[in-house]
Amino acid sequence: MLDKTYQPAAVEGRRYAVWERSGGFAAEPNSERRPYTIMMPPPNVTGSLHIGHALNFTLQDVLVRYQRMRGRDVLWQPGSDHAGIATEIVVGNQLTAEGTTKRALGRDGFVARVWKWKEESGGAIAHQLRRLGASPDWSRERFTMDPGLASAVRRIFVQLYREGLIYRDKRLVNWDPAMHTVISDLEVQSRETKGSLWHIRYPVAELPGRFVTVATTRPETMLGDTGVAVHPNDPRFADLVGKSVRLPLADRLIPIIADAHADPETGSGAVKITPAHDFADFEIGRRHGLALLNIFDQDARLNDAAPAPYRGLDRFAAREKVVADLSAAGLLDKVEDHTLMIPHHDRSGEVIEPWLTDQWYCDARVLAGPALAAVEDGRIRFVPSQWENTFFDWMRKIQPWCISRQLWWGHRIPAWYGPDGTLFVAETVEEAQREASAKYGDAVSLRRDEDVLDTWFSSALWPFSTLGWPEETPELSRYYPTDVLVTSFDIIFFWVARMMMMGLHFMGEVPFRTVYIHALVRDERGQKMSKSRGNTIDPLGLIERYGCDALRFTLAALAAPGRDVKLAESRVEGYRNFATKLWNAARYAEMNVCALVADFTPAQCRLTVNRWIATAASDCGAAVTAALDAYRFDEAASLLYQFVWGTFCDWYVEFTKPILQGDDSARAETRAMTAWILGRIVHLLHPIMPFITEEIWQNLAREDEGLLLTAPWPEFSPEAHDLAASAEMEWVVQAISAIRALRAEMNIPPAARVPLLIKDVEPAVAERIERHREHFMRLARVDRFEPVVTVPAGGIQAVVGGTVLILSVGDVVDLAREKARLGKEIERLDSELRKIAAKLNNPNFLAKAKPEIVEEQRDREADVSRDRDRLKVAYARLMAI
RNA sequence: GGGCGCGUAGCUCAGCGGGAGAGCACUACGUUGACAUCGUAGGGGUCACUGGUUCAAUCCCAGUCGCGCCCACCA
C-alpha cells in the first residue's frame, strides 16, 4: 500500500541502491543491442555539485535513461578531472591555513599531499551525483590521472612532438605572478577597471627642447620601453621618425619608428613600445627589430634590468614611484581618467602580466583543420546550431596552444634534458635514457622538465583514453565515436574543440556526433551565480526540501534551447506539487483496485472514455518521444505535466469515478485502463523523474516485470488511436468547462443544480449528450436537459462545437453584470467579424491566399457571426427583463 | 570595435505569417471519499519602438532603443 504522502527522502536512497545493485547502469559490451554513449564531462575533483552541474548531469541522465529504455546498450562514462590549477589553489589554501606552503613541502611532498586529499574528498562529487539520481556506469569510473590515462597522455605527447605538432617556443605569455605559472589565453578574463591614462613627455635626443608625448595606462612599463611608434602619415611627427628619444628615468636612447599601429586619433598619437610586456608591442617590436627588455621577475617585481631605484619594487609600487619621479622631473603632461580592460587569471583572480618565457606549445592550427571540416560537413552537429558560428570564429583564428604549466599537480611533461641541454622526448625515462646513451655514447644523467601539462590536454583525450586507448579494446571500437556530448557553452573552446582535434587526429573519427549546448543557470533575477554574489543555489538543499524528482523536472522544464535558465525556487515547489499529484493519482488507482491486467491492450476497450484516454496517452507519448529525440527537454516536461495533471487527473479520473463505483464489465475495463495509463505515465516520466516513477511502478507492476530503469519504452501503436472517441470526449470536456464558466458568470452557488437547455441540436449531438448525461450532472451539476428553440429570458449561453448550450436559472442571474459581459463580448465579436470581412472582401486575399485558408476564414466568419447573433438575441432578452 | 542572443500577462517563459498561450503569483468561491503540496472559476497583454515586404505581421526584413553574454593588442 502506498503511503499517504510521497516521502522523497525515504525513497531515493533505497531506490538508488536497488538500481545500482541491479547492474542496470552498466554497459554491456557483449550485448547485441546498439550502443549509445555519452562521455560525462568529468567534474573537478575539487568540486562539489553546484546547480550548473545539476542541470548538466540531469539532462545527460534523462537522455541516458531514455535511450536505455529504448533498448540501447548505454555507456555513460563517469569520472573526474584532476584540475591542475583549481586543485592547487584549493590545497594551497589548506596549506596556508596550516601555516605552511607548497614550496616548503617540496614537489614530492606536495603531490603526495594532493593525492591524499584526493583520496579523502575526491569521492564527494560521485556521492552527490548519486543523490541526483544519475545513472552512469560506476564500474568504469576514471580519473584523468589514472595510470592508463597517464600513459595515453604520454603516448600522445610523444607522438605529437615527433610529428612536429608539439614544440618549445619563447613567446610572450600570460603569466600569473602569484601562482608562478603560465596560463592559456582562454583562462584570461578581462575585467573592466577604472584607471588612468598618463601622458608622459619623452625628450627627443637630437632636438633639445622637443618632446614626444606618449600616453599609457601602465607607466611603470616605460622602464622596459625600447621604442616609440608614430603613424607613418602623421604630420605632427613626420620629422621625428628615425630620430630617437632619451627615455626618462632609465636614461636610454630608444628609436622613434613609424608603424600603422599608432593611431593618430588615440591618446597623444605617439605610443611607447614595450615589446617584452605587451602583446601588441611584442608584434611591433618584432616588425621593427626592437630589443626585448624584460624588466620583471617571476613575481612581477622589477629586476636588475630596471634602473637601480626601482629594483625589487612590485609593479604597483613601481607605478607610483615612476609617476612621482616623472612628475618631479616635469615630464608628466597630464593624467586622464580612463576605463580599460585588465586581464585577470579566471581562477586565482590575479592580474596577469605578459611575460617572456620558454613554454611548450601545441600547433592548434594544424589540428583545428579536420575539426572545422567535421562541423562544416555535418559529421558533428551543434544543438542549437547557432553555436557552430561561435565555434567557427574561434577555430579559424586559433592561436598556438600553450600546454605547459609551472605547477606540480598534473601530468609531468615527458621530456628530459641532457647535460648540454639536448631535449629527449620519450614515454618513459628508460627510453629517454636509451636515446641519450645513443647520442652521448655513454650513460649521462638527465634532468626532467619541471612543467606539467595543461589540464585540458588530458581532458581532450577523455572520449578515447577512458575506453582504453592506445590498447584496441572492445570498448574502444564499440563506444567510440560517442553519440552526444552534453555541455555548456563556456567550455566549447577549452574542451569541446580540443576533443575534436585530438579525436580526429588519433582516432581518425569524430569523438561525438552531436554537441548539445545547454545554457547557464542564473538566479531568478537573471544574474550569474557566484559565491561572491552570494546567490548560489545549492542543488542538494533543493533535493532535501523538494525531492530529487522535483529538482530534475524543474531543470528539464527550464532547459529551453539557447536561453539561460533562471531558476526560481517557486518553480521547484510547483513541480514538487506535481510529484505529489502523481503520487495521489497512483494512490487513487490502488484504492480503486486498478491493477495491471495481463494481455490487456487499449484496443480492446469499448468505453468511449477509455478509448479517448488511450488515444491521448498515445499522442502524448509520441510527442514526448519526438521532444526527447530533438533535445527539447522543456517540451517533454511540459507535455507530461499537461497530460498527467490536465488530462489524466482532471478529466479521466473524474469521468471514470462513477464507473469505478459500479459493478460490471465497464468497471473491470476501466480499472485495467486506469492501471495501464498509470503504467504508461511512469514509463514516459521515468527519464525525468526516476525515483517516484520507479516507486509507483514497483507498487503497480507484477514482481516479474522488473525495474522501470530497464523497462522498454512504450511503443505507440496506431490501433489504439480512436479519433472519433477523442473528438467526442474533447467536446464533452469543452462543454462541461463552458457550463462551469457560465455558472460562475451567473453567480450560481456551487451546490445548486441547474437545467441545461440545448438549442439547434442535431440528433447525433443529442445522442452524445444523452450518452454523457452523467458527466454533465456530476461535473457541471446540471439536473435536467431540454431541447429549446429560443433562448429564454435569463438564459445564458455558450457555444461548443456549433451547439448552443444554455443555462437557464431565472432570477439567480446577476442582470447588470451579465449585460455588461454580453455587451463586451458582442463588441469583441463585432470587431473580429469586421477583420474577417475585410479579409474576405479583399480580392487580393481571395486571389493569393491558399484555398484552405480562405475556406477556414469563411467558416470562421460563419461561426463568429452566428455566435454574435445569438449573443445579441440573449442581450435583447436580458434588456427586456 | 566585432559577434551572438534576448525584449510576449505582475514574475518565469512557450509560440511564430491568417483566431494572443502555459505555469507561478493575484482575486472569488469550495472540507464532493486520491490529492488543500487540492478543486472550480475569474481579472490581467496597442506581443519594446519605427519603417518595410505581404492580400495579411507578435511572427519575415531593416533601423532605433533597452538588456545579457562572448571575443578583441587600441596605448
Side-chain angles (χ1 to χ4, degrees), chain A residues 734-777:
Chain A
Q734 278 177 40
I736 290 172
S737 297
I739 296 166
R740 284 169 170 174
L742 295 179
R743 294 181 62 113
E745 207 60 52
M746 296 164 83
N747 295 326
I748 299 169
R753 295 194 166 271
V754 291
L756 179 65
L757 312 184
I758 298 139
K759 186 165 165 269
D760 291 347
V761 69
E762 292 163 20
V765 177
E767 266 175 52
R768 179 159 67 195
I769 292 168
E770 191 53 39
R771 268 203 301 280
H772 297 286
R773 96 179 274 132
E774 194 174 3
H775 293 144
F776 282 95
M777 291 171 66

Side-chain angles (χ1 to χ4, degrees), chain A residues 607-643:
Chain A
L607 268 54
T608 309
V609 68
N610 286 334
R611 299 183 67 81
W612 159 71
I613 194 69
T615 305
S618 166
D619 289 348
C620 172
V624 168
T625 303
L628 289 178
D629 284 339
Y631 304 98
R632 287 301 303 263
F633 303 95
D634 58 326
E635 212 172 292
S638 147
L639 284 161
L640 287 162
Y641 186 96
Q642 281 169 31
F643 181 74

Side-chain angles (χ1 to χ4, degrees), chain A residues 392-644:
Chain A
F392 287 145
D393 287 349
W394 188 70
M395 291 294 264
R396 285 178 184 142
K397 53 166 201 191
I398 195 164
Q399 296 295 310
W401 173 16
C402 179
I403 53 173
S404 46
R405 295 289 182 275
Q406 287 68 52
L407 302 174
W408 287 342
W409 175 243
H411 294 282
R412 192 158 174 184
I413 288 177
W416 286 262
Y417 300 92
D420 60 353
T422 306
L423 194 55
F424 300 97
V425 172
E427 286 184 46
T428 60
V429 63
E430 292 78 14
E431 202 184 315
Q433 283 289 359
R434 274 198 301 281
E435 286 182 25
S437 303
K439 175 182 163 63
Y440 295 112
D442 73 278
V444 294
S445 80
L446 296 176
R447 182 177 55 82
R448 185 166 186 178
D449 195 295
E450 295 290 328
D451 292 351
V452 299
L453 286 164
D454 178 9
T455 298
W456 297 102
F457 191 88
S458 48
S459 323
L461 318 181
W462 189 250
F464 53 91
S465 64
T466 50
L467 298 175
W469 190 93
E471 304 304 318
E472 287 174 15
T473 59
E475 283 84 355
L476 189 60
S477 56
R478 180 172 173 80
Y479 298 111
Y480 189 100
T482 69
D483 288 86
V484 58
L485 179 75
V486 178
T487 187
S488 67
F489 70 86
D490 52 345
I491 54 174
I492 288 181
F493 308 139
F494 277 114
W495 192 47
V496 180
R498 273 122 180 214
M499 281 191 285
M500 291 185 198
M501 297 190 225
M502 292 299 191
L504 284 159
H505 194 74
F506 287 94
M507 295 293 296
E509 257 192 292
V510 296
F512 27 73
R513 298 186 179 90
T514 300
V515 182
Y516 174 77
I517 303 284
H518 65 250
L520 252 39
V521 183
R522 298 173 184 283
D523 72 7
E524 51 200 294
R525 289 196 307 277
Q527 295 194 309
K528 210 168 182 172
M529 288 192 188
S530 67
K531 281 181 192 151
S532 55
R533 277 202 184 88
N535 61 348
T536 53
I537 295 179
D538 172 21
L540 297 174
L542 291 173
I543 289 174
E544 271 162 35
R545 287 197 290 286
Y546 302 105
C548 179
D549 290 324
L551 175 64
R552 290 174 59 116
F553 199 94
T554 309
L555 292 170
L558 290 171
R563 224 181 227 278
D564 285 342
V565 174
K566 288 185 198 149
L567 187 66
E569 190 160 329
S570 62
R571 207 62 195 254
V572 187
E573 192 182 347
Y575 292 127
R576 186 272 319 266
N577 296 353
F578 175 63
T580 307
K581 186 77 180 175
L582 175 64
W583 184 256
N584 278 303
R587 274 185 66 222
Y588 165 85
E590 187 181 38
M591 290 165 76
N592 283 284
V593 206
C594 300
L596 289 176
V597 172
D599 301 328
F600 172 85
T601 67
Q604 305 160 354
C605 286
R606 292 172 15 262
L607 268 54
T608 309
V609 68
N610 286 334
R611 299 183 67 81
W612 159 71
I613 194 69
T615 305
S618 166
D619 289 348
C620 172
V624 168
T625 303
L628 289 178
D629 284 339
Y631 304 98
R632 287 301 303 263
F633 303 95
D634 58 326
E635 212 172 292
S638 147
L639 284 161
L640 287 162
Y641 186 96
Q642 281 169 31
F643 181 74
V644 171

